[in-house]
Amino acid sequence: MAITTLNIPIERAEVSKIEQVDFDNLSFGSVFTDHMLVCDYKDGQWEPPKIIPYQAISLEPSAKIFHYGQSIFEGMKAYKDSEGQVWLFRPLDNFKRLNISANRMAIPELPEEYFMEGLKTLVKLDAQWIPQKEGSSLYVRPFVFASGKGFHASPADEYKFLICLAPSGSYFSGKVKVLIEEKYSRAANGGVGYAKAGGNYAGQFYPTQLAIRKGYNQVIWTDDHAHEFIEEAGAMNIFVRIGDTLITAPTSDRILDGITRKSVLDIARDEGIPVEVRKISVSEVVEAAKNGSLKEMFGAGTAAVISPIAGFGFKEVDYELPEIEDSYASRLKKRITDIQFNRSEDKFGWRYKV
Ligand SMILES: *Cc1c(COP(=O)(O)O)cnc(C)c1O
């Protein structure tokens, strides 16, 4: 690992807000720690990051983020083990993906040192905010947006990179009922679906609201061309178990390269579970549900790790999935969280000490 000389200046909060937080009743991502990292892009380069008290930021009304949506983000977590040691999970992959998103949105790439050193310094500084309750963690949100001003529809000349931290309870929301989407699309070939770009999520809200009104919790996105293949589960990657085979769609322009997805694939292979990475047609899933070979469906992403699906709707028909013992979902979730919380060996080298 590179030894860095970056010494990030820290302006400490005068008083900590930590006493005001009820760590036994945390929701997801709605309370923030005492500090945040800020890094500005000006005059053609990223300036060194600094850490300041968590606070509101001020922007010009013409800042391009408001008009042209140049905005990208990442999501990851910091974990505290039973001995109080602090860990991240595959953070370099988040850094690389942030720059993939940056490129697609014509945002200047960030230097690795600013991201990694900034992240470590901030998490260390606010480490007492990492909840230790089972399943809880500190949600880490790095993001970059166009702060440069002007109504001209072109990339901004100034940007801000920030990292904020939010102590969060476990994301357990129960099993979800999903609707296979037949009209709207999340992403298209040549588009920005593979980037964690803010607008991708804005575009998902309306179709998701329609699904919620129909009694579902979430949308299963299908290909934009003919809505023939299932691609993602809300803002998570999707897995389907037919018989004993675990299947997920290959990444593409339209499918985000999730770190949880990659980890699930590696662990499933390690467990000897037959794995297929290929297109999954809606008709195959419906057929499998009818003949009883559809055993499980679940979403995979940082927030929930694995989110089991109870059933799905398609063409006005609801299909229920069976309750099964020893589900892949619970087995895989346990293996991943055991690595994250330093409760097991980390044979893949994913854990990263802060
Ligand atoms: C963030 C995200 C995922 C999951 O990625 P992780 O790295 O596992 O958190 C999957 N799909 C979409 C659309 C996402 O935005």
Side-chain angles (χ1 to χ4, degrees):
M1 210 162 294
I3 308 278
T4 61
T5 51
L6 201 64
N7 207 344
I8 298 178
I10 299 173
E11 183 196 326
R12 282 176 184 270
E14 273 173 31
V15 267
S16 174
K17 297 169 295 186
I18 199 164
E19 299 302 329
Q20 299 163 25
V21 178
D22 178 4
F23 278 86
D24 288 326
N25 292 294
L26 288 169
S27 58
F28 190 85
S30 49
V31 188
F32 308 96
T33 66
D34 289 328
H35 301 94
M36 64 189 198
L37 180 107
V38 188
C39 184
D40 286 308
Y41 181 91
K42 268 187 198 137
D43 303 323
Q45 61 175 345
W46 284 105
E47 295 181 344
K50 55 184 194 245
I51 290 172
I52 59 172
Y54 180 87
Q55 59 192 265
I57 47 181
S58 127
L59 293 170
E60 292 268 344
S62 75
K64 292 202 181 187
I65 169 67
F66 298 132
H67 308 275
Y68 307 119
Q70 267 184 300
S71 156
I72 55 173
F73 67 95
E74 272 301 323
M76 59 210 292
K77 285 175 173 176
Y79 312 85
K80 205 176 255 183
D81 67 23
S82 55
E83 274 145 41
Q85 301 183 96
V86 178
W87 304 91
L88 294 163
F89 184 71
R90 311 185 74 172
L92 207 55
D93 290 3
N94 293 95
F95 165 71
K96 289 179 184 155
R97 191 170 63 190
L98 185 69
N99 275 346
I100 289 171
S101 301
N103 264 309
R104 181 62 183 85
M105 303 309 285
I107 292 172
E109 280 189 20
L110 271 153
E112 179 176 325
E113 200 185 30
Y114 288 4
F115 182 95
M116 293 302 293
E117 291 301 306
L119 175 66
K120 274 191 284 183
T121 311
L122 181 66
V123 168
K124 238 183 220 165
L125 178 66
D126 280 346
Q128 83 266 30
W129 286 82
I130 306 176
Q132 237 164 330
K133 201 177 161 193
E134 173 63 35
S136 300
S137 56
L138 186 70
Y139 185 75
V140 179
R141 169 54 61 87
F143 58 108
V144 187
F145 63 89
S147 52
K149 60 189 176 186
F151 291 148
H152 192 263
S154 59
D157 56 358
E158 292 184 4
Y159 296 85
K160 273 185 186 294
F161 162 52
L162 276 81
I163 304 179
C164 295
L165 308 174
S168 297
S170 69
Y171 203 80
F172 186 71
S173 52
K175 281 200 171 185
V176 297
K177 233 181 108 184
V178 298
L179 179 66
I180 297 184
E181 185 58 60
E182 291 174 71
K183 175 177 177 179
Y184 297 98
S185 300
R186 193 192 81 85
N189 287 333
V192 302
Y194 67 91
K196 274 186 113 69
N200 283 340
Y201 304 83
Q204 286 185 220
F205 294 158
Y206 176 63
T208 305
Q209 281 176 338
L210 296 180
I212 289 169
R213 267 179 232 157
K214 287 182 166 175
Y216 300 93
N217 307 99
Q218 196 50 268
V219 168
I220 297 295
W221 300 107
T222 48
D223 64 285
D224 60 302
H225 178 64
H227 302 285
E228 256 181 282
F229 297 97
I230 64 168
E231 302 207 317
E232 294 222 54
M236 288 183 280
N237 293 111
I238 190 158
F239 284 83
V240 175
R241 172 181 174 182
I242 298 178
D244 282 331
T245 305
L246 188 63
I247 315 165
T248 192
T251 55
S252 69
D253 276 4
R254 304 184 306 269
I255 298 180
L256 194 115
D257 188 4
I259 295 162
T260 316
R261 173 186 175 279
K262 291 196 283 197
S263 309
V264 165
L265 285 174
D266 285 345
I267 288 176
R269 289 185 181 114
D270 189 59
E271 292 262 311
I273 292 171
V275 168
E276 290 177 9
V277 178
R278 61 161 173 86
K279 288 177 156 191
I280 311 160
S281 71
V282 178
S283 58
E284 176 183 10
V285 173
V286 170
E287 199 46 46
K290 283 182 182 159
N291 70 27
S293 60
L294 182 67
K295 297 274 167 39
E296 292 179 63
M297 285 172 82
F298 55 85
T302 295
V305 188
I306 285 182
S307 175
I309 292 169
F312 67 89
F314 179 64
K315 291 204 189 295
E316 310 297 322
V317 182
D318 280 334
Y319 300 85
E320 259 180 52
L321 273 80
E323 284 288 338
I324 56 169
E325 301 266 315
D326 188 32
S327 69
Y328 287 172
S330 51
R331 235 160 99 189
L332 294 164
K333 179 168 182 174
K334 180 167 189 316
R335 281 224 31 206
I336 293 182
T337 52
D338 280 351
I339 294 172
Q340 291 171 331
F341 285 89
N342 192 25
R343 289 187 297 243
S344 73
E345 184 207 351
D346 173 26
K347 65 193 280 189
F348 300 100
W350 290 336
R351 222 163 25 224
Y352 183 97
K353 189 133 197 285
V354 172

